[in-house]
Amino acid sequence: MGSAQGRGWQLGAAAEIGGVLQVPGDKSISHRALLFLAIAEGGGEIRGLLEARDCLNTLAALRALGARIDSLGPGSYRVVGPAGGGLRAPDKPLDLGNSGTGLRLLTGLLAGLNLPASLTGDASLCRRPMGRIVDPLNAMGAAIRAEDGRPPLHLASHEGLQGIDYAMPVASAQVKSAILLAGLHARGETRVREPAPTRDHSERMLAGLGADIEWGQGEVRLRPGGLRGQDIDVPADFSSAAFFVALAAARPGAEICLRQVGINPTRDGLLRLLKRMGAAVGLENQRLVGGEPVADIRVTGQPLEAITVSAEEVALAVDEIPALMIAAARARGTTHVEGAAELRVKESDRIAAMAEGLQAMGLSVETRPDGLSVTGGPIRGGRIASRGDHRIAMSFAMLGALLPAGEQLRIDDVDNVATSFPDFIARCKAVGVNIQES
Ligand code: S3P
């Protein structure tokens, strides 16, 4: 049933937590597979694509640019650029919905191809900062206009791009990837330096598709050139697995095994943080899939101790800080997160959203412009505003599963969970989470 707040969930104490799960495909890798194959000679097949709203918006945008993308079965697609030529300018604005990755990477790609276009998104995306991509892309020679530094973005045609040597002011894989995509079609070398390591999926996939690229020691160098198509297997999304990892970690005695999850070291920071808190985390069946490390993650809950998380650690767990807060809520002592100002410009202001929700559940929380501190303790039920943010909704669902008997938690406005995690409710029920839609 709908309400003024959109659809919601009702959570109650879970009798027992445990089981084996496979979560859907990686969102970051799915976006990149679609975007890169659409400009790669011969195209390729994607297996395990995340069929969630964010990636489907990117898929639709690429179709509007003339790419041919055929479904071959669940999660399987064949992507081929337009026959006999490159992508073409779209005749309507491209709507990337809720997705920062879709909008920022596509802007880099379009700037490189010199295709005039307008890109927009939903209310959340239209509040997010775009100067971080517009400035370096325009410095390369693009002609992008943003209204007040935010979407919609308007790309006009330009005289050609020049490679850039760019030191990013923020640690952002989206900014890095947008510049690299533009650099594929620029004159001369493009070099991007990062203030802290961020996810390197673009670098790995570009190398796999034959780009002239090298990276390490905090910088990437790319020389222009075409890509050669190849089939791409997408591992399960670490960021989706993270909710269940945190749930098992925060409940002594619980054991959950997540199958075939991407454990790229630029993504799996949460595991190191939870281990430091005392959780038992094991990796099984480790292997490489399409240039990305993959493993089954087995987590066994133990009593946890609070930790301090540094800015560098935040960059390697940037989407998992809400899930980490679940563990912090159940840990002994006060967990401090530092250098996390980026969390304020995600799908919602995640520092404010987590603080508000944790306080509503009876916990003591302090916020700062670039972080928060959470003191573990007893939790109670109540009502949580997810602010339309998928990761806030899913994190609080996990904390709801840890409620004492008799307590109930309502989470409002959960529609956007469909942007990243189809069938989240079924996965919750499979490991014993007591969750109902309402
Ligand atoms: C992403 C990078 C991160 C992350 C986002 C996905 C990507 O954003 O938060 O969910 O796919 O490159 P930033 O680059 O803004 O840190």
Side-chain angles (χ1 to χ4, degrees), residues 277 303-307 327-335 374-377:
M277 296 175 86
L304 301 179
E305 298 286 332
I307 56 168
R330 306 307 293 143
R332 200 165 62 96
T334 303
T335 293
V374 177
T375 304

PDB file of all heavy atoms in Angstrom, residues 277 303-307 327-335 374-377:
ATOM      1  N   MET A 277      37.032  -4.765  13.697  1.00  0.00           N
ATOM      2  CA  MET A 277      36.050  -4.685  14.793  1.00  0.00           C
ATOM      3  C   MET A 277      35.891  -6.029  15.507  1.00  0.00           C
ATOM      4  O   MET A 277      35.238  -6.096  16.541  1.00  0.00           O
ATOM      5  CB  MET A 277      34.690  -4.220  14.246  1.00  0.00           C
ATOM      6  CG  MET A 277      34.724  -2.813  13.684  1.00  0.00           C
ATOM      7  SD  MET A 277      33.147  -2.316  12.918  1.00  0.00           S
ATOM      8  CE  MET A 277      32.260  -1.695  14.352  1.00  0.00           C
ATOM      9  N   PRO A 303      31.125 -10.725  18.992  1.00  0.00           N
ATOM     10  CA  PRO A 303      31.004  -9.424  19.658  1.00  0.00           C
ATOM     11  C   PRO A 303      31.985  -8.441  19.021  1.00  0.00           C
ATOM     12  O   PRO A 303      33.126  -8.808  18.723  1.00  0.00           O
ATOM     13  CB  PRO A 303      31.404  -9.734  21.113  1.00  0.00           C
ATOM     14  CG  PRO A 303      31.201 -11.204  21.246  1.00  0.00           C
ATOM     15  CD  PRO A 303      31.476 -11.819  19.899  1.00  0.00           C
ATOM     16  N   LEU A 304      31.547  -7.205  18.740  1.00  0.00           N
ATOM     17  CA  LEU A 304      32.382  -6.249  17.997  1.00  0.00           C
ATOM     18  C   LEU A 304      32.872  -5.117  18.893  1.00  0.00           C
ATOM     19  O   LEU A 304      32.203  -4.757  19.864  1.00  0.00           O
ATOM     20  CB  LEU A 304      31.574  -5.662  16.828  1.00  0.00           C
ATOM     21  CG  LEU A 304      31.033  -6.645  15.795  1.00  0.00           C
ATOM     22  CD1 LEU A 304      30.229  -5.894  14.722  1.00  0.00           C
ATOM     23  CD2 LEU A 304      32.150  -7.459  15.149  1.00  0.00           C
ATOM     24  N   GLU A 305      34.007  -4.557  18.515  1.00  0.00           N
ATOM     25  CA  GLU A 305      34.585  -3.393  19.202  1.00  0.00           C
ATOM     26  C   GLU A 305      34.570  -2.209  18.247  1.00  0.00           C
ATOM     27  O   GLU A 305      34.821  -2.381  17.043  1.00  0.00           O
ATOM     28  CB  GLU A 305      36.059  -3.669  19.559  1.00  0.00           C
ATOM     29  CG  GLU A 305      36.279  -4.825  20.509  1.00  0.00           C
ATOM     30  CD  GLU A 305      35.882  -4.503  21.938  1.00  0.00           C
ATOM     31  OE1 GLU A 305      35.938  -3.307  22.309  1.00  0.00           O
ATOM     32  OE2 GLU A 305      35.500  -5.435  22.672  1.00  0.00           O
ATOM     33  N   ALA A 306      34.369  -1.007  18.771  1.00  0.00           N
ATOM     34  CA  ALA A 306      34.362   0.206  17.941  1.00  0.00           C
ATOM     35  C   ALA A 306      35.746   0.453  17.327  1.00  0.00           C
ATOM     36  O   ALA A 306      36.762   0.016  17.878  1.00  0.00           O
ATOM     37  CB  ALA A 306      33.966   1.398  18.801  1.00  0.00           C
ATOM     38  N   ILE A 307      35.765   1.141  16.191  1.00  0.00           N
ATOM     39  CA  ILE A 307      37.031   1.505  15.524  1.00  0.00           C
ATOM     40  C   ILE A 307      36.957   2.961  15.050  1.00  0.00           C
ATOM     41  O   ILE A 307      35.878   3.558  15.025  1.00  0.00           O
ATOM     42  CB  ILE A 307      37.336   0.607  14.296  1.00  0.00           C
ATOM     43  CG1 ILE A 307      36.168   0.645  13.289  1.00  0.00           C
ATOM     44  CG2 ILE A 307      37.655  -0.809  14.710  1.00  0.00           C
ATOM     45  CD1 ILE A 307      36.501   0.028  11.939  1.00  0.00           C
ATOM     46  N   ALA A 327      27.053  -2.266  12.055  1.00  0.00           N
ATOM     47  CA  ALA A 327      27.987  -2.923  12.965  1.00  0.00           C
ATOM     48  C   ALA A 327      28.348  -1.975  14.108  1.00  0.00           C
ATOM     49  O   ALA A 327      28.413  -2.389  15.276  1.00  0.00           O
ATOM     50  CB  ALA A 327      29.234  -3.366  12.194  1.00  0.00           C
ATOM     51  N   ALA A 328      28.555  -0.689  13.775  1.00  0.00           N
ATOM     52  CA  ALA A 328      28.923   0.286  14.817  1.00  0.00           C
ATOM     53  C   ALA A 328      27.828   0.383  15.879  1.00  0.00           C
ATOM     54  O   ALA A 328      28.107   0.533  17.071  1.00  0.00           O
ATOM     55  CB  ALA A 328      29.164   1.654  14.180  1.00  0.00           C
ATOM     56  N   ALA A 329      26.570   0.262  15.444  1.00  0.00           N
ATOM     57  CA  ALA A 329      25.440   0.372  16.373  1.00  0.00           C
ATOM     58  C   ALA A 329      25.450  -0.764  17.399  1.00  0.00           C
ATOM     59  O   ALA A 329      24.923  -0.624  18.498  1.00  0.00           O
ATOM     60  CB  ALA A 329      24.124   0.357  15.592  1.00  0.00           C
ATOM     61  N   ARG A 330      26.031  -1.894  17.007  1.00  0.00           N
ATOM     62  CA  ARG A 330      26.044  -3.063  17.896  1.00  0.00           C
ATOM     63  C   ARG A 330      27.394  -3.264  18.572  1.00  0.00           C
ATOM     64  O   ARG A 330      27.582  -4.228  19.306  1.00  0.00           O
ATOM     65  CB  ARG A 330      25.687  -4.339  17.090  1.00  0.00           C
ATOM     66  CG  ARG A 330      24.400  -4.271  16.305  1.00  0.00           C
ATOM     67  CD  ARG A 330      23.203  -3.864  17.155  1.00  0.00           C
ATOM     68  NE  ARG A 330      22.849  -4.858  18.149  1.00  0.00           N
ATOM     69  CZ  ARG A 330      22.424  -4.563  19.377  1.00  0.00           C
ATOM     70  NH1 ARG A 330      22.322  -3.317  19.771  1.00  0.00           N
ATOM     71  NH2 ARG A 330      22.109  -5.520  20.221  1.00  0.00           N
ATOM     72  N   ALA A 331      28.380  -2.399  18.276  1.00  0.00           N
ATOM     73  CA  ALA A 331      29.735  -2.590  18.813  1.00  0.00           C
ATOM     74  C   ALA A 331      29.863  -1.957  20.189  1.00  0.00           C
ATOM     75  O   ALA A 331      29.089  -1.072  20.557  1.00  0.00           O
ATOM     76  CB  ALA A 331      30.751  -1.974  17.858  1.00  0.00           C
ATOM     77  N   ARG A 332      30.896  -2.407  20.928  1.00  0.00           N
ATOM     78  CA  ARG A 332      31.178  -1.797  22.228  1.00  0.00           C
ATOM     79  C   ARG A 332      32.042  -0.568  22.000  1.00  0.00           C
ATOM     80  O   ARG A 332      33.110  -0.679  21.377  1.00  0.00           O
ATOM     81  CB  ARG A 332      31.931  -2.804  23.102  1.00  0.00           C
ATOM     82  CG  ARG A 332      31.857  -2.509  24.590  1.00  0.00           C
ATOM     83  CD  ARG A 332      32.301  -3.720  25.365  1.00  0.00           C
ATOM     84  NE  ARG A 332      33.699  -4.012  25.037  1.00  0.00           N
ATOM     85  CZ  ARG A 332      34.745  -3.599  25.772  1.00  0.00           C
ATOM     86  NH1 ARG A 332      34.555  -2.909  26.864  1.00  0.00           N
ATOM     87  NH2 ARG A 332      35.975  -3.916  25.415  1.00  0.00           N
ATOM     88  N   GLY A 333      31.567   0.600  22.420  1.00  0.00           N
ATOM     89  CA  GLY A 333      32.356   1.829  22.273  1.00  0.00           C
ATOM     90  C   GLY A 333      31.848   2.702  21.128  1.00  0.00           C
ATOM     91  O   GLY A 333      30.800   2.435  20.546  1.00  0.00           O
ATOM     92  N   THR A 334      32.619   3.748  20.833  1.00  0.00           N
ATOM     93  CA  THR A 334      32.204   4.741  19.835  1.00  0.00           C
ATOM     94  C   THR A 334      33.036   4.594  18.569  1.00  0.00           C
ATOM     95  O   THR A 334      34.265   4.685  18.617  1.00  0.00           O
ATOM     96  CB  THR A 334      32.360   6.167  20.409  1.00  0.00           C
ATOM     97  OG1 THR A 334      31.581   6.245  21.607  1.00  0.00           O
ATOM     98  CG2 THR A 334      31.868   7.212  19.419  1.00  0.00           C
ATOM     99  N   THR A 335      32.368   4.369  17.449  1.00  0.00           N
ATOM    100  CA  THR A 335      33.037   4.280  16.143  1.00  0.00           C
ATOM    101  C   THR A 335      33.045   5.664  15.526  1.00  0.00           C
ATOM    102  O   THR A 335      32.003   6.333  15.460  1.00  0.00           O
ATOM    103  CB  THR A 335      32.302   3.266  15.236  1.00  0.00           C
ATOM    104  OG1 THR A 335      32.462   1.966  15.805  1.00  0.00           O
ATOM    105  CG2 THR A 335      32.867   3.265  13.824  1.00  0.00           C
ATOM    106  N   VAL A 374      29.356   7.132  16.217  1.00  0.00           N
ATOM    107  CA  VAL A 374      28.186   6.363  16.660  1.00  0.00           C
ATOM    108  C   VAL A 374      28.600   5.497  17.842  1.00  0.00           C
ATOM    109  O   VAL A 374      29.569   4.747  17.744  1.00  0.00           O
ATOM    110  CB  VAL A 374      27.676   5.456  15.510  1.00  0.00           C
ATOM    111  CG1 VAL A 374      26.510   4.597  15.983  1.00  0.00           C
ATOM    112  CG2 VAL A 374      27.287   6.285  14.304  1.00  0.00           C
ATOM    113  N   THR A 375      27.859   5.619  18.925  1.00  0.00           N
ATOM    114  CA  THR A 375      28.153   4.791  20.097  1.00  0.00           C
ATOM    115  C   THR A 375      27.191   3.605  20.119  1.00  0.00           C
ATOM    116  O   THR A 375      25.974   3.793  20.051  1.00  0.00           O
ATOM    117  CB  THR A 375      28.007   5.635  21.388  1.00  0.00           C
ATOM    118  OG1 THR A 375      28.872   6.779  21.255  1.00  0.00           O
ATOM    119  CG2 THR A 375      28.392   4.838  22.616  1.00  0.00           C
ATOM    120  N   GLY A 376      27.762   2.412  20.158  1.00  0.00           N
ATOM    121  CA  GLY A 376      26.939   1.207  20.162  1.00  0.00           C
ATOM    122  C   GLY A 376      26.100   1.114  21.432  1.00  0.00           C
ATOM    123  O   GLY A 376      26.466   1.676  22.464  1.00  0.00           O
ATOM    124  N   GLY A 377      24.969   0.434  21.340  1.00  0.00           N
ATOM    125  CA  GLY A 377      24.119   0.291  22.529  1.00  0.00           C
ATOM    126  C   GLY A 377      22.816  -0.380  22.166  1.00  0.00           C
ATOM    127  O   GLY A 377      22.628  -0.823  21.026  1.00  0.00           O
TER     128      GLY A 377
END
